């Protein structure tokens, strides 16, 4: 049986004609284990479920730039705001970020942890919390201060572990050096924080922690998971550790990457922003910051023109998408940028275009991710980018047609729900086969109805039924046929 932690097989390309021909599989010659998907939603962000692609591809989609949503314009915030985290809890969105009006001095007492909130994830406000005095006043939006070096990269999470005490619903990790390690913080309301204990909870053989140290409770692994930056051969990479209580952590494991087959990524990864996807938490999404040191775009004159700090225009960066299904491997199906630097010189400076941690829903059909922009400049701010739900990537085929055949799987549920989009001329069809590739009566291609439109959730039907409960618990393969269409996800329910 294959679980989320089992390493996937490599993509097998079926060499057939343009007509989309298909041959049944020879089970005696090709033994493939069964994937238990139960009623989980599955996204086409990797090749985990795919056995064969015919004239189709996995396509990365570009988020839509929705513009600036928050200026980092308070005196205690400034040009060097960084390491943003967005958390959605019920009808409230919370944003945490480092306040830092001047460069240098990582871990100094000048740094604070600031807070903003929203009811829709689009319009944000900075509440006057009156918790900490800065420059002689408590009239500010600061939730943590005077605990150097921990405000440098304080990274909170909403703890979804069952039986978590109310006083520890919110947790956080922070640290900058071998001496500081990672200190754990807890909070009942996400505003008033205290140390979980007086000594750090995690060390890594003298390694520094001066980036965002990301942790969450994994319902799949039944433990906390931590991802943090750790270089390999001077290339910024990512390591991982786990814990059952947020205090005692496993020995770290260096992550490996599907595109290189090693623990050294193909480019520097400055932040990893790994998170369980909120609609399919067994899939961990990483909206990582890809850092290109020494890749300079601006001249001295151009840097002066936009007012960027002299130390912050010698590099460039953007955002990439990686995925993991637990364990110590990232899938790099897509080597291109998820978010490219935008128009204008201000987008081509060092340490800008860094995504905030977490993708969150911002509508019935929409989700948002946030990116810190104009780093080291007077115009530093947060931007919002939007995608359709599940819309990071899709199974895509042109009008001439294409198809995908899954590996053997077992599901539970009565209906098959699709998140899809077609053109006016396009369509999606589904055939269900047995483990050997033989179409099952009533669910053959001849029975399959043409699905046309653009919907987040539509029950698929065949000629006589949309009920698949008779196949639940049996080993089947799915055959998706597409013409000028995108299939983003599917789920049995």
């Amino acid at each position: 049986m294959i679980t989320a932690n089992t390493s996937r097989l490599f993509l097998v390309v079926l060499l057939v004609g343009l007509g989309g021909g298909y041959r049944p599989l020879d089970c005696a010659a090709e033994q493939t284990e069964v994937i238990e998907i139960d009623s989980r939603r599955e996204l086409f962000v990797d090749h985990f479920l795919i056995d064969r692609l015919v004239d189709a591809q996995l396509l990365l989609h570009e988020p839509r730039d929705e513009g600036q949503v928050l200026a980092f314009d308070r005196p205690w915030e400034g040009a060097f705001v960084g390491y943003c985290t967005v958390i959605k809890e019920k009808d409230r969105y919370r944003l945490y970020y480092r306040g830092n009006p001047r460069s240098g001095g990582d871990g100094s007492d000048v740094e604070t942890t600031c807070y903003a909130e929203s009811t829709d994830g689009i319009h944000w406000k900075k509440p006057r919390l009156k918790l900490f005095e800065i420059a002689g006043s408590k009239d500010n939006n600061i939730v943590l201060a005077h605990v150097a070096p921990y405000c440098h990269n304080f990274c909170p999470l909403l703890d979804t572990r069952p039986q978590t005490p109310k006083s520890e619903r919110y947790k956080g990790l922070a640290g900058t050096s071998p001496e500081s390690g990672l200190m754990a913080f807890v909070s009942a309301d996400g505003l008033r924080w205290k140390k979980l204990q007086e000594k750090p909870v995690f060390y890594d053989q003298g390694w520094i922690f001066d980036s965002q140290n990301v942790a969450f409770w994994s319902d799949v692994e039944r433990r906390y998971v931590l991802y943090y930056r750790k270089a390999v051969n001077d290339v910024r990479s990512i390591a991982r550790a786990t814990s059952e209580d947020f205090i005692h952590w496993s020995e770290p494991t260096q992550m490996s990457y599907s595109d290189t087959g090693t623990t050294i990524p193909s480019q520097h990864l400055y932040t990893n922003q790994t998170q369980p996807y909120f609609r399919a938490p067994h899939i961990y999404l990483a909206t990582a910051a890809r850092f290109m040191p020494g890749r300079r775009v601006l001249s001295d004159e151009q840097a002066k023109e936009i007012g960027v700090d002299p130390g912050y225009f010698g590099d460039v960066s953007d955002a990439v998408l990686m995925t993991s299904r637990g364990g110590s491997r990232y899938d790099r199906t897509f080597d291109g940028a998820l978010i490219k630097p935008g128009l204008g010189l201000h987008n081509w400076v060092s340490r800008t275009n860094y995504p905030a941690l977490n993708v969150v829903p911002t509508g019935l059909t929409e989700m948002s991710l946030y990116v810190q922009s104009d780093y080291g400049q007077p115009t530093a701010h947060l931007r919002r980018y939007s995608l359709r739900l599940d819309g990071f990537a899709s199974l895509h085929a042109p009008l001439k047609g294409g198809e995908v055949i899954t590996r053997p799987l077992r599901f539970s549920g009565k209906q098959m729900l699709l998140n899809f989009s077609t053109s006016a001329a396009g369509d999606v069809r589904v055939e269900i086969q047995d483990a050997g590739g033989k179409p099952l009566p009533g669910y053959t291609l001849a029975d399959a109805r043409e699905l046309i439109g653009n919907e987040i959730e539509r029950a698929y039907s065949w000629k006589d039924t949309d009920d698949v409960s008779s196949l639940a618990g049996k080993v089947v393969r799915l055959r998706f046929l597409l013409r000028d269409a995108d299939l983003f996800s599917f789920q049995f329910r």
Side-chain angles (χ1 to χ4, degrees):
M1 180 183 299
I2 291 180
T3 67
N5 291 334
T6 308
S7 47
R8 68 199 65 146
L9 299 176
F10 287 108
L11 171 67
V12 180
V13 178
L14 177 61
L15 300 176
V16 298
L18 294 179
Y22 167 72
R23 61 172 177 80
L25 298 174
D26 181 355
C27 286
E30 187 169 343
Q31 295 293 331
T32 306
E33 295 183 78
V34 177
I35 302 173
E36 303 284 354
I37 67 169
D38 298 318
S39 60
R40 296 193 303 265
R41 179 177 287 106
E42 291 292 345
L43 278 62
F44 289 103
V45 290
D46 56 24
H47 293 102
F48 181 71
L49 291 176
I50 297 174
D51 186 34
R52 299 179 179 181
L53 280 170
V54 184
D55 298 326
Q57 63 174 321
L58 293 184
L59 179 67
L60 183 68
H61 289 259
E62 183 177 356
R64 176 178 173 177
D65 185 354
E66 301 288 359
Q68 177 176 324
V69 293
L70 191 72
F72 300 134
D73 54 3
R74 302 292 170 84
W76 53 88
E77 296 175 345
F80 300 95
V81 163
Y83 301 140
C84 303
T85 298
V86 176
I87 296 175
K88 183 179 187 298
E89 183 185 17
K90 296 180 180 178
D91 58 354
R92 180 180 297 184
Y93 298 78
R94 300 174 181 267
L95 169 66
Y96 300 84
Y97 54 97
R98 179 185 71 207
N100 189 15
R102 64 172 186 249
S103 64
D106 288 1
S108 74
D109 203 47
V110 173
E111 295 174 326
T112 59
T113 299
C114 303
Y115 173 83
E117 62 184 23
S118 171
T119 58
D120 58 9
I122 299 170
H123 306 92
W124 294 83
K125 63 180 182 180
K126 302 174 184 179
R128 298 177 178 179
L129 299 173
K130 300 185 181 299
L131 298 176
F132 292 92
E133 182 175 313
I134 298 293
S137 173
K138 287 189 175 182
D139 190 13
N140 58 55
N141 60 325
I142 294 172
V143 295
L144 198 63
H146 313 311
V147 287
Y150 302 115
C151 289
H152 176 71
N153 56 358
F154 181 78
C155 186
L157 66 136
L158 178 61
D159 190 350
T160 59
R161 180 178 67 93
Q163 290 82 49
T164 294
K166 291 183 178 180
S167 61
E168 299 179 6
R169 284 191 320 121
Y170 281 84
K171 290 184 171 66
L173 291 173
T176 60
S177 66
E179 293 74 29
S180 72
L182 289 183
M183 183 69 72
F185 292 79
V186 294
S187 173
D189 60 5
L191 300 176
R192 297 159 182 84
W193 294 86
K194 65 179 182 180
K195 292 179 181 178
L196 178 59
Q197 60 183 34
E198 285 303 317
K199 63 179 183 178
V201 297
F202 184 74
Y203 293 97
D204 181 1
Q205 299 177 351
W207 188 252
I208 59 176
F209 299 98
D210 62 338
S211 181
Q212 207 159 345
N213 303 284
V214 175
F216 56 85
W217 171 259
S218 170
D219 285 330
V220 175
E221 300 187 59
R222 308 307 299 169
R223 63 196 63 219
Y224 297 99
V225 185
L226 164 67
Y227 294 88
Y228 62 101
R229 191 180 72 202
K230 183 178 182 181
V232 179
N233 291 356
D234 296 325
V235 178
R236 292 170 176 86
S237 186
I238 302 165
R240 167 189 143 116
T242 63
S243 172
E244 295 182 0
D245 59 6
F246 211 73
I247 297 174
H248 305 93
W249 292 84
S250 68
E251 288 296 316
T253 302
Q254 203 75 37
M255 296 294 290
S256 64
Y257 307 86
S258 64
D259 58 332
T260 65
T262 71
T263 58
I264 305 176
S266 51
Q267 297 97 23
H268 292 263
L269 299 174
Y270 205 98
T271 60
N272 69 80
Q273 308 306 45
T274 305
Q275 60 202 268
Y277 176 49
F278 64 92
R279 281 169 54 88
H282 64 290
I283 300 175
Y284 304 163
L285 296 171
T287 52
R290 176 169 59 180
F291 183 58
M292 306 298 293
R295 192 172 175 84
R296 177 172 168 175
V297 174
L298 274 63
S299 67
D300 291 346
E301 292 75 18
Q302 290 171 323
K304 185 175 181 180
E305 177 185 335
I306 64 173
V308 64
D309 185 279
Y312 287 92
F313 65 93
D315 318 293
V316 293
S317 55
D318 57 16
V320 296
L321 179 70
M322 305 187 297
T323 60
S324 176
R325 291 172 180 261
S328 57
R329 184 176 184 269
Y330 278 121
D331 187 285
R332 288 289 309 269
T333 293
F334 310 104
D335 57 7
L338 174 67
I339 297 177
K340 299 175 183 177
L343 292 169
L345 297 175
H346 56 97
N347 288 301
W348 295 89
V349 305
S350 183
R351 293 164 176 80
T352 198
N353 305 310
Y354 281 17
L357 174 61
N358 293 326
V359 177
V360 294
T362 47
L364 295 177
T365 63
E366 177 192 84
M367 59 186 180
S368 295
L369 60 158
Y370 304 82
V371 175
Q372 64 180 67
S373 298
D374 292 10
Y375 191 80
Q377 301 170 60
T379 51
H381 65 276
L382 189 75
R383 301 185 76 80
R384 184 175 77 93
Y385 288 78
S386 68
L387 284 165
R388 70 183 288 144
L389 293 178
D390 309 339
F392 301 99
S394 68
L395 176 66
H396 173 81
L399 187 58
K400 68 179 182 180
E403 66 179 84
V404 64
I405 301 165
T406 70
R407 296 160 63 189
L409 56 85
R410 198 158 22 220
F411 70 87
S412 62
K414 296 181 179 180
Q415 288 183 314
M416 182 183 195
L417 307 175
L418 303 185
N419 182 345
F420 73 100
S421 172
T422 77
S423 69
D427 56 68
V428 177
R429 291 177 294 164
V430 184
E431 178 177 84
I432 303 181
Q433 307 171 347
D434 66 16
K438 180 180 178 181
L440 293 170
Y443 302 95
T444 69
L445 187 58
D447 299 309
R449 295 185 182 276
E450 280 190 345
L451 190 58
I452 304 169
N454 187 348
E455 297 187 40
I456 298 297
E457 185 173 284
R458 168 84 77 86
Y460 189 79
S461 63
W462 291 262
K463 190 175 298 183
D464 299 320
T465 185
D466 65 359
D467 188 348
V468 295
S469 58
S470 63
L471 303 179
K474 297 180 180 180
V475 179
V476 299
R477 292 178 185 262
L478 305 177
R479 183 187 181 198
F480 297 103
L481 296 99
L482 297 86
R483 294 189 307 136
D484 199 11
D486 292 279
L487 180 60
F488 298 94
S489 66
F490 71 92
Q491 181 181 21
F492 290 95
R493 188 187 302 164

